[in-house]
Amino acid sequence: KRHKFWETQPVGQFKDLGDSSLPEGPIEPPTPLSEVKQEPYNLPSQYEWTTCDMDSEEMCNEVYVLLTNNYVEDDENMFRFNYSKEFLRWALRPPGFYRSWHIGVRVKTSKKLVAFITGVPARIRVRDTVVMMAEINFLCVHKKLRSKRLAPVMIKEVTRRVHMENIWQAAYTAGVVLPTPVSTCQYWHRSLNPKKLIDVGFSRLGARMTMSRTIKLYKLPDQTVTPGFRKMEPHDVPAVTRLLRNYLKQFLVAPDFDENDVEHWLLPKEGVIDSYLVESPQTHEITDFCSFYTLPSSILGNQNHTTLKAAYSYYNVSTKTPLIQLMNDALIVAKQKDFDVFNALDVMQNDSFLKELKFGPGDGKLHYYLYNYRTKHVLRSSELGLVLL
Ligand SMILES: COc1cccc(CC(=N)NC(=O)c2cccnc2OC2CCNCC2)c1
């Protein structure tokens, strides 16, 4: 398939697949900062660049409205991601963030926001090398402006602004195959509210299954079962950082989180991120951790329901509590908080609990990409220790 734009970019090309003579590492060397293009790329004449200050209630709302109406839908166009404003502020303002990497496109005359793309800085380890990268996300072009080739110029502009901060690599995910996935993950769903999921067409009643039998199949206890299971609190940051850093060592690609990162990315925030840990009642040692983020989806065209309340598995660590028991407690808490479904990718050790905890395979895949960084091989999803929002 022709990838006119991606064939011009420093990314693994399909023709290079299997050529194991190519070394792991950057594809192109950094450019001297004086040679980085200082002025923004040209947009079609009726549009202009804008920087979206997510601290501004008004701009944050404009971004929220654009994404709510124009962001990613499932393959059958029945659902559309509906990131909340609080979530967007959290996702886009981690330690060291750059406002200039929150890029919008406006119509010059009306000033209407019609496109968006973002980057946030992240230290990501690839095998034994920690690389400063930009995590690129929320690329969105208004439905009415599709196929005007806006996305390539937006990707070039965010790349230019990342280069200006002397960062030369990036990580991103997509539901489509581009040159060339560093890994491809299968996503899985665990029903928490099967009646609603069937009513809205997210799930179908199994063959030879009645609704009451289905409700019983997915029923969960009212309370968590692990002694010492509790919400993460600020004073837990150092211990959770140690636990998570040690656990992530086993994966070929993983974030290199320090305490500042853990404080931002993993401390609970109502309606955004939930995280729990197991503190041994005997030793008070923190032995396990689980977390999930809140990403609702708009339900397109259903009379009775407008929103699908979905939890997405984030980072989980098990050293004493069996991962299956830990994740079942996460399901129990998600059900207590009235989530309809709990989603997970088959990354890290997730494969070990998916089937047993009654997750069903989703109808699509999520591809992971690195920009300007070649890996020796395509990674198995279980070698991935990175979850993007
Ligand atoms: C249920 O509502 C949906 C609304 C839009 C798209 C999809 C299907 C889909 N594309 N799902 C995922 O990409 C996905 C499935 C499981 C876990 N994480 C995921 O994506 C995350 C990570 C990448 N950025 C979007 C959120 C579902």
Side-chain angles (χ1 to χ4, degrees):
K1 221 180 90 177
R2 305 279 303 142
H3 287 284
K4 272 173 51 63
F5 169 70
W6 286 108
E7 282 161 1
T8 70
Q9 297 297 297
V11 291
Q13 299 296 330
F14 289 130
K15 63 180 171 45
D16 298 338
L17 273 176
D19 181 349
S20 60
S21 72
L22 294 165
E24 177 151 305
I27 293 169
E28 284 180 351
T31 311
L33 292 189
S34 56
E35 289 175 30
V36 173
K37 190 173 181 323
Q38 295 300 303
E39 65 285 342
Y41 280 90
N42 289 332
L43 282 166
S45 63
Q46 67 271 50
Y47 304 113
E48 64 187 14
W49 296 112
T50 187
T51 296
C52 297
D53 179 354
M54 300 306 284
D55 296 341
S56 146
E57 174 55 36
E58 188 188 354
M59 279 209 197
C60 187
N61 190 61
E62 283 184 281
V63 168
Y64 170 77
V65 167
L66 175 73
L67 295 177
T68 297
N69 296 316
N70 301 280
Y71 199 47
V72 177
E73 298 173 7
D74 70 304
D75 289 349
E76 292 169 52
N77 305 104
M78 295 172 68
F79 307 100
R80 187 184 305 128
F81 286 138
N82 187 215
Y83 289 87
S84 73
K85 285 190 266 191
E86 269 318 294
F87 189 107
L88 292 168
R89 283 198 191 95
W90 170 68
L92 296 177
R93 296 185 308 167
F97 79 95
Y98 301 93
R99 263 182 201 74
S100 58
W101 294 8
H102 303 159
I103 304 170
V105 174
R106 292 188 187 280
V107 178
K108 274 180 186 156
T109 49
S110 64
K111 299 301 178 199
K112 181 179 164 57
L113 186 71
V114 292
F116 189 58
I117 188 167
T118 69
V120 292
R123 274 187 330 285
I124 295 181
R125 178 180 50 76
V126 184
R127 237 180 277 272
D128 303 326
T129 310
V130 175
V131 183
M132 197 64 225
M133 296 195 188
E135 283 177 1
I136 304 302
N137 208 342
F138 305 112
L139 169 57
C140 179
V141 174
H142 195 286
K143 283 173 179 273
K144 293 202 175 95
L145 304 183
R146 301 283 165 88
S147 313
K148 283 178 169 284
R149 307 297 294 167
L150 273 178
V153 68
M154 292 173 71
I155 294 167
K156 284 192 280 195
E157 181 59 14
V158 73
T159 304
R160 185 188 71 84
R161 297 190 189 190
V162 168
H163 286 166
M164 288 178 77
E165 304 299 343
N166 198 24
I167 292 174
W168 306 95
Q169 272 73 36
Y172 50 103
T173 60
V176 292
V177 178
L178 304 167
T180 301
V182 69
S183 186
T184 293
C185 307
Q186 167 73 46
Y187 41 84
W188 294 73
H189 313 290
R190 206 288 184 182
S191 297
L192 299 175
N193 182 352
K195 183 169 179 337
K196 176 175 175 183
L197 295 181
I198 290 167
D199 284 354
V200 304
F202 182 86
S203 314
R204 281 184 298 283
L205 205 50
R208 294 185 302 286
M209 288 284 279
T210 61
M211 183 61 83
S212 65
R213 170 97 182 74
T214 302
I215 291 167
K216 203 177 332 187
L217 174 69
Y218 291 113
K219 184 133 184 57
L220 289 162
D222 292 338
Q223 305 299 330
T224 56
V225 306
T226 306
F229 187 90
R230 64 170 174 80
K231 270 186 79 159
M232 179 184 178
E233 296 167 13
H235 75 276
D236 298 311
V237 165
V240 168
T241 305
R242 278 192 295 278
L243 190 73
L244 187 54
R245 286 185 64 85
N246 196 48
Y247 185 77
L248 290 175
K249 283 177 184 166
Q250 67 187 294
F251 305 111
L252 293 183
V253 174
D256 180 57
F257 285 143
D258 65 17
E259 288 189 9
N260 279 338
D261 302 314
V262 168
E263 181 177 17
H264 177 81
W265 290 122
L266 295 170
L267 269 184
K269 273 188 184 339
E270 181 78 29
V272 172
I273 169 85
D274 284 273
S275 38
Y276 297 85
L277 50 79
V278 177
E279 177 181 345
S280 158
Q282 294 77 20
T283 68
H284 294 291
E285 183 198 2
I286 292 177
T287 56
D288 312 279
F289 176 83
C290 62
S291 58
F292 53 86
Y293 61 84
T294 298
L295 169 51
S297 279
S298 305
I299 302 172
L300 310 174
N302 181 284
Q303 276 66 30
N304 313 330
H305 302 278
T306 54
T307 304
L308 186 70
K309 196 172 175 193
Y312 286 72
S313 178
Y314 199 35
Y315 290 97
N316 307 303
V317 180
S318 113
T319 68
K320 290 280 182 312
T321 308
L323 187 58
I324 287 186
Q325 180 184 319
L326 183 71
M327 293 311 295
N328 200 56
D329 276 347
L331 293 175
I332 291 165
V333 170
K335 175 66 181 172
Q336 287 172 350
K337 290 167 164 276
D338 206 26
F339 282 94
D340 298 319
V341 64
F342 191 102
N343 297 318
L345 297 166
D346 60 357
V347 297
M348 295 182 271
Q349 298 177 311
N350 291 356
D351 212 43
S352 68
F353 63 73
L354 291 166
K355 290 190 181 76
E356 183 155 351
L357 293 184
K358 299 175 184 153
F359 283 76
D363 58 5
K365 299 204 187 284
L366 190 67
H367 307 279
Y368 277 69
Y369 300 93
L370 293 178
Y371 183 94
N372 194 21
Y373 202 91
R374 193 194 315 280
T375 55
K376 213 80 181 109
H377 312 288
V378 176
L379 270 54
R380 305 154 64 98
S381 45
S382 57
E383 293 174 319
L384 260 186
L386 178 65
V387 177
L388 298 188
L389 302 173

Short mmCIF file of all heavy atoms in Angstrom, two decimals, residues 1 20-21 33 45 65 70 77 79 124 128 150 156 175 193 202 215 218 234 297 305 309 326 335 346 352 380-381 388:
data_model
loop_
_atom_site.label_atom_id
_atom_site.label_comp_id
_atom_site.label_asym_id
_atom_site.label_seq_id
_atom_site.Cartn_x
_atom_site.Cartn_y
_atom_site.Cartn_z
N LYS A 1 0.87 -1.20 0.00
CA LYS A 1 0.00 0.00 0.00
C LYS A 1 0.90 1.24 0.00
O LYS A 1 1.92 1.25 0.67
CB LYS A 1 -0.89 -0.01 1.25
CG LYS A 1 -2.33 0.43 0.96
CD LYS A 1 -3.19 0.42 2.21
CE LYS A 1 -3.13 1.76 2.90
NZ LYS A 1 -3.96 1.90 4.07
N SER A 20 18.29 -7.84 9.24
CA SER A 20 18.81 -7.74 10.62
C SER A 20 20.23 -7.18 10.65
O SER A 20 20.87 -7.15 11.69
CB SER A 20 18.76 -9.12 11.30
OG SER A 20 19.56 -10.00 10.55
N SER A 21 20.71 -6.72 9.48
CA SER A 21 22.04 -6.07 9.50
C SER A 21 21.87 -4.62 10.01
O SER A 21 22.83 -4.00 10.44
CB SER A 21 22.60 -6.03 8.07
OG SER A 21 21.87 -5.08 7.31
N LEU A 33 20.80 22.31 16.43
CA LEU A 33 19.59 23.10 16.71
C LEU A 33 19.50 24.32 15.80
O LEU A 33 18.42 24.76 15.42
CB LEU A 33 19.57 23.51 18.18
CG LEU A 33 19.36 22.33 19.15
CD1 LEU A 33 19.14 22.84 20.58
CD2 LEU A 33 18.17 21.46 18.73
N SER A 45 -3.93 28.19 2.98
CA SER A 45 -4.03 29.62 3.31
C SER A 45 -5.18 29.97 4.25
O SER A 45 -5.07 30.93 5.01
CB SER A 45 -4.20 30.42 2.01
OG SER A 45 -5.42 30.01 1.39
N VAL A 65 -14.47 19.75 22.86
CA VAL A 65 -15.58 19.70 21.89
C VAL A 65 -15.09 19.13 20.56
O VAL A 65 -15.76 18.26 19.97
CB VAL A 65 -16.19 21.10 21.71
CG1 VAL A 65 -17.13 21.15 20.50
CG2 VAL A 65 -16.93 21.53 22.98
N ASN A 70 -15.11 14.55 16.83
CA ASN A 70 -14.31 14.18 15.64
C ASN A 70 -13.18 13.19 15.91
O ASN A 70 -12.44 12.88 14.98
CB ASN A 70 -13.69 15.44 15.02
CG ASN A 70 -14.75 16.44 14.60
OD1 ASN A 70 -15.37 16.30 13.54
ND2 ASN A 70 -15.01 17.43 15.44
N ASN A 77 -18.14 2.35 13.80
CA ASN A 77 -18.65 3.71 14.00
C ASN A 77 -19.85 3.73 14.94
O ASN A 77 -20.80 4.48 14.71
CB ASN A 77 -19.00 4.35 12.65
CG ASN A 77 -17.81 4.32 11.71
OD1 ASN A 77 -17.77 3.50 10.79
ND2 ASN A 77 -16.82 5.17 11.98
N PHE A 79 -19.16 3.86 18.43
CA PHE A 79 -18.64 4.51 19.64
C PHE A 79 -17.53 5.48 19.25
O PHE A 79 -16.84 5.26 18.26
CB PHE A 79 -18.07 3.45 20.61
CG PHE A 79 -19.04 2.34 20.91
CD1 PHE A 79 -18.93 1.12 20.26
CD2 PHE A 79 -20.07 2.53 21.81
CE1 PHE A 79 -19.84 0.10 20.51
CE2 PHE A 79 -20.98 1.51 22.06
CZ PHE A 79 -20.86 0.29 21.42
N ILE A 124 11.87 6.96 27.84
CA ILE A 124 11.46 5.59 27.53
C ILE A 124 12.71 4.74 27.32
O ILE A 124 13.63 5.14 26.60
CB ILE A 124 10.54 5.56 26.28
CG1 ILE A 124 9.24 6.29 26.62
CG2 ILE A 124 10.28 4.13 25.81
CD1 ILE A 124 8.21 6.36 25.54
N ASP A 128 18.43 -1.60 26.81
CA ASP A 128 19.22 -1.02 27.91
C ASP A 128 19.46 0.47 27.74
O ASP A 128 20.22 1.07 28.52
CB ASP A 128 20.58 -1.73 27.99
CG ASP A 128 20.39 -3.23 28.19
OD1 ASP A 128 19.41 -3.59 28.87
OD2 ASP A 128 21.17 -4.00 27.61
N LEU A 150 -4.12 17.38 5.83
CA LEU A 150 -3.72 18.22 6.98
C LEU A 150 -2.85 17.43 7.94
O LEU A 150 -1.91 17.96 8.53
CB LEU A 150 -4.96 18.73 7.72
CG LEU A 150 -5.58 20.02 7.22
CD1 LEU A 150 -6.82 20.37 8.03
CD2 LEU A 150 -4.56 21.15 7.29
N LYS A 156 4.44 16.92 10.78
CA LYS A 156 5.73 17.60 10.55
C LYS A 156 5.91 18.76 11.52
O LYS A 156 7.00 18.99 12.06
CB LYS A 156 5.84 18.08 9.09
CG LYS A 156 6.14 16.93 8.12
CD LYS A 156 6.54 17.40 6.74
CE LYS A 156 5.35 17.79 5.92
NZ LYS A 156 5.67 17.91 4.47
N GLY A 175 -4.64 2.58 15.37
CA GLY A 175 -5.42 1.39 15.06
C GLY A 175 -5.16 0.93 13.63
O GLY A 175 -5.57 -0.15 13.24
N ASN A 193 -21.13 -4.62 33.09
CA ASN A 193 -22.57 -4.35 33.02
C ASN A 193 -23.07 -4.95 31.70
O ASN A 193 -23.37 -4.20 30.75
CB ASN A 193 -22.78 -2.83 33.07
CG ASN A 193 -24.26 -2.46 33.05
OD1 ASN A 193 -25.13 -3.33 32.86
ND2 ASN A 193 -24.55 -1.19 33.25
N PHE A 202 -22.42 -3.14 22.06
CA PHE A 202 -20.97 -3.34 22.29
C PHE A 202 -20.68 -4.84 22.34
O PHE A 202 -19.66 -5.29 21.83
CB PHE A 202 -20.54 -2.67 23.61
CG PHE A 202 -19.07 -2.78 23.90
CD1 PHE A 202 -18.18 -1.85 23.39
CD2 PHE A 202 -18.58 -3.82 24.68
CE1 PHE A 202 -16.82 -1.95 23.67
CE2 PHE A 202 -17.22 -3.93 24.95
CZ PHE A 202 -16.34 -2.99 24.44
N ILE A 215 -25.79 -12.25 32.83
CA ILE A 215 -25.58 -11.37 33.98
C ILE A 215 -24.90 -12.16 35.09
O ILE A 215 -23.94 -11.69 35.73
CB ILE A 215 -26.92 -10.76 34.46
CG1 ILE A 215 -27.43 -9.76 33.41
CG2 ILE A 215 -26.78 -10.12 35.83
CD1 ILE A 215 -28.87 -9.31 33.60
N TYR A 218 -21.06 -12.84 34.56
CA TYR A 218 -20.10 -11.74 34.78
C TYR A 218 -20.20 -11.15 36.19
O TYR A 218 -19.54 -10.17 36.49
CB TYR A 218 -20.31 -10.65 33.73
CG TYR A 218 -19.90 -11.09 32.35
CD1 TYR A 218 -20.84 -11.27 31.33
CD2 TYR A 218 -18.57 -11.40 32.06
CE1 TYR A 218 -20.46 -11.70 30.07
CE2 TYR A 218 -18.18 -11.83 30.81
CZ TYR A 218 -19.13 -11.98 29.81
OH TYR A 218 -18.75 -12.43 28.57
N PRO A 234 -0.51 9.78 48.53
CA PRO A 234 0.75 10.48 48.23
C PRO A 234 1.98 9.91 48.92
O PRO A 234 3.04 9.79 48.31
CB PRO A 234 0.45 11.91 48.69
CG PRO A 234 -1.03 12.06 48.48
CD PRO A 234 -1.60 10.72 48.84
N SER A 297 -16.74 6.42 26.28
CA SER A 297 -17.01 6.57 24.85
C SER A 297 -18.43 7.05 24.67
O SER A 297 -19.34 6.60 25.37
CB SER A 297 -16.84 5.23 24.13
OG SER A 297 -15.48 4.99 23.88
N HIS A 305 -29.06 5.05 25.87
CA HIS A 305 -27.77 5.35 26.54
C HIS A 305 -26.95 6.30 25.69
O HIS A 305 -26.92 6.16 24.47
CB HIS A 305 -26.98 4.05 26.75
CG HIS A 305 -27.71 3.00 27.55
ND1 HIS A 305 -27.76 3.02 28.92
CD2 HIS A 305 -28.42 1.92 27.16
CE1 HIS A 305 -28.46 1.97 29.34
NE2 HIS A 305 -28.87 1.28 28.30
N LYS A 309 -19.25 3.74 29.97
CA LYS A 309 -18.25 4.08 30.98
C LYS A 309 -17.19 2.98 30.97
O LYS A 309 -17.45 1.86 31.41
CB LYS A 309 -18.90 4.22 32.36
CG LYS A 309 -18.00 4.92 33.34
CD LYS A 309 -18.67 5.25 34.67
CE LYS A 309 -17.60 5.85 35.61
NZ LYS A 309 -18.02 5.93 37.00
N LEU A 326 -5.19 -10.08 41.94
CA LEU A 326 -5.04 -8.61 41.98
C LEU A 326 -5.96 -7.96 40.96
O LEU A 326 -6.69 -7.02 41.25
CB LEU A 326 -3.57 -8.26 41.68
CG LEU A 326 -3.19 -6.79 41.73
CD1 LEU A 326 -3.19 -6.28 43.17
CD2 LEU A 326 -1.82 -6.59 41.08
N LYS A 335 -16.30 -2.24 39.04
CA LYS A 335 -17.75 -2.48 39.08
C LYS A 335 -18.40 -1.63 40.17
O LYS A 335 -19.45 -1.01 39.94
CB LYS A 335 -18.03 -3.97 39.33
CG LYS A 335 -19.50 -4.33 39.50
CD LYS A 335 -20.31 -4.10 38.23
CE LYS A 335 -21.77 -4.43 38.44
NZ LYS A 335 -22.61 -4.03 37.26
N ASP A 346 -3.02 -6.84 25.45
CA ASP A 346 -2.29 -8.07 25.85
C ASP A 346 -0.80 -7.77 26.04
O ASP A 346 0.06 -8.62 25.76
CB ASP A 346 -2.48 -9.18 24.81
CG ASP A 346 -1.98 -8.79 23.42
OD1 ASP A 346 -1.54 -7.64 23.25
OD2 ASP A 346 -2.05 -9.63 22.51
N SER A 352 -1.80 -13.40 31.01
CA SER A 352 -1.94 -14.46 32.02
C SER A 352 -3.27 -14.38 32.76
O SER A 352 -3.65 -15.31 33.45
CB SER A 352 -0.79 -14.36 33.04
OG SER A 352 -0.96 -13.17 33.79
N ARG A 380 7.16 -8.91 20.62
CA ARG A 380 5.90 -9.56 21.02
C ARG A 380 5.21 -8.58 21.95
O ARG A 380 5.86 -7.80 22.65
CB ARG A 380 6.22 -10.85 21.78
CG ARG A 380 7.12 -11.81 21.02
CD ARG A 380 7.89 -12.69 21.98
NE ARG A 380 6.97 -13.54 22.74
CZ ARG A 380 6.71 -14.81 22.40
NH1 ARG A 380 7.30 -15.34 21.35
NH2 ARG A 380 5.88 -15.54 23.10
N SER A 381 3.87 -8.61 21.99
CA SER A 381 3.17 -7.64 22.84
C SER A 381 3.55 -7.84 24.31
O SER A 381 3.57 -6.88 25.09
CB SER A 381 1.66 -7.74 22.64
OG SER A 381 1.25 -9.08 22.63
N LEU A 388 0.02 3.74 26.46
CA LEU A 388 -0.25 5.14 26.10
C LEU A 388 -1.73 5.43 26.33
O LEU A 388 -2.57 4.51 26.29
CB LEU A 388 0.16 5.41 24.65
CG LEU A 388 1.66 5.22 24.34
CD1 LEU A 388 1.98 5.69 22.93
CD2 LEU A 388 2.53 5.96 25.34
#
